[in-house]
């Protein structure tokens, strides 16, 4: 999870919500990404989606069955859908996302047995550190808007 946290910190430099993602395959990092929504002006530029795009390009495949994605915050419905479509084998996340979480908090998209693929899901890894990044980000935004 530490490399994903490093990625999340990079998002802060462009004013993006600090979420980072790393994809590993056979214990080797194959891609890294962080939110680039503000930087790119693209609402789809979530860390998970970017990490999946980079991993599939690097590995030359559209399916990531043997891969794991490590994300600092529980994936949203869009990202959980991308995880299913890319057939990522395992999702490991840090902080729960009570408003948008789609890997246990609100929905269980990535492990829904009605879909053609289910990922193994593990949450709460380095949860305090991951949650603190988000809390600090939004606290600073509120303070600057006062």
């Amino acid at each position: 999870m530490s490399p994903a946290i490093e990625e999340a910190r990079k998002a802060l430099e462009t004013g993006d919500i600090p979420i980072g993602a790393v994809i590993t395959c056979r214990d080797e990092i194959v891609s890294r990404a962080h939110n680039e929504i503000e930087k790119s002006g693209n609402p789809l530029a979530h860390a998970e989606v970017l990490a999946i795009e980079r991993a599939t390009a690097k590995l030359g495949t559209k399916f990531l069955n043997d891969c794991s994605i490590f994300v600092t915050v529980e994936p949203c419905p869009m990202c959980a859908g991308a995880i299913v479509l890319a057939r990522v084998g395992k999702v490991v996340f840090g902080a729960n996302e009570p408003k948008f979480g789609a890997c246990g908090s609100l929905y269980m998209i990535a492990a829904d047995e009605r879909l053609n693929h289910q990922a193994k899901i593990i949450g709460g890894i380095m949860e305090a550190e991951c949650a603190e990044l988000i809390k600090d980000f939004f606290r600073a935004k509120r303070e600057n808007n006062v």
Side-chain angles (χ1 to χ4, degrees):
M1 187 62 71
S2 294
I5 291 171
E6 290 172 19
E7 284 297 317
R9 288 187 177 117
K10 291 178 185 177
L12 291 171
E13 296 170 12
T14 57
D16 271 293
I17 297 173
I19 297 175
V22 172
I23 295 181
T24 64
C25 192
R26 295 175 197 87
D27 297 323
E28 178 185 331
I29 294 175
V30 294
S31 71
R32 299 170 178 258
H34 54 274
N35 276 2
E36 295 184 15
I37 298 162
E38 298 300 322
K39 178 181 175 181
S40 68
N42 179 355
L44 306 178
H46 288 211
E48 300 94 323
V49 171
L50 297 173
I52 289 168
E53 287 177 347
R54 293 169 187 168
T56 57
K58 181 174 182 174
L59 297 173
T61 180
K62 63 183 176 181
F63 298 131
L64 302 172
N65 300 72
D66 297 329
C67 297
S68 299
I69 187 166
F70 293 81
V71 189
T72 55
V73 176
E74 180 182 357
C76 71
M78 177 184 73
C79 293
I83 287 165
V84 169
L85 292 173
R87 298 186 187 170
V88 176
K90 182 167 53 174
V91 178
V92 180
F93 68 86
N96 289 329
E97 175 40 271
K99 293 182 181 179
F100 296 101
C103 289
S105 291
L106 288 179
Y107 308 104
M108 190 57 109
I109 292 172
D112 190 321
E113 292 182 2
R114 296 171 294 179
L115 300 175
N116 69 325
H117 174 77
Q118 296 81 44
K120 180 178 180 180
I121 299 173
I122 301 168
I125 305 302
M126 297 180 73
E127 183 175 12
E129 284 182 64
C130 295
E132 197 61 34
L133 278 170
I134 296 293
K135 288 177 187 174
D136 288 349
F137 174 79
F138 284 111
R139 186 179 304 116
K141 281 190 94 57
R142 285 189 302 275
E143 289 171 2
N144 290 332
N145 287 334
V146 173

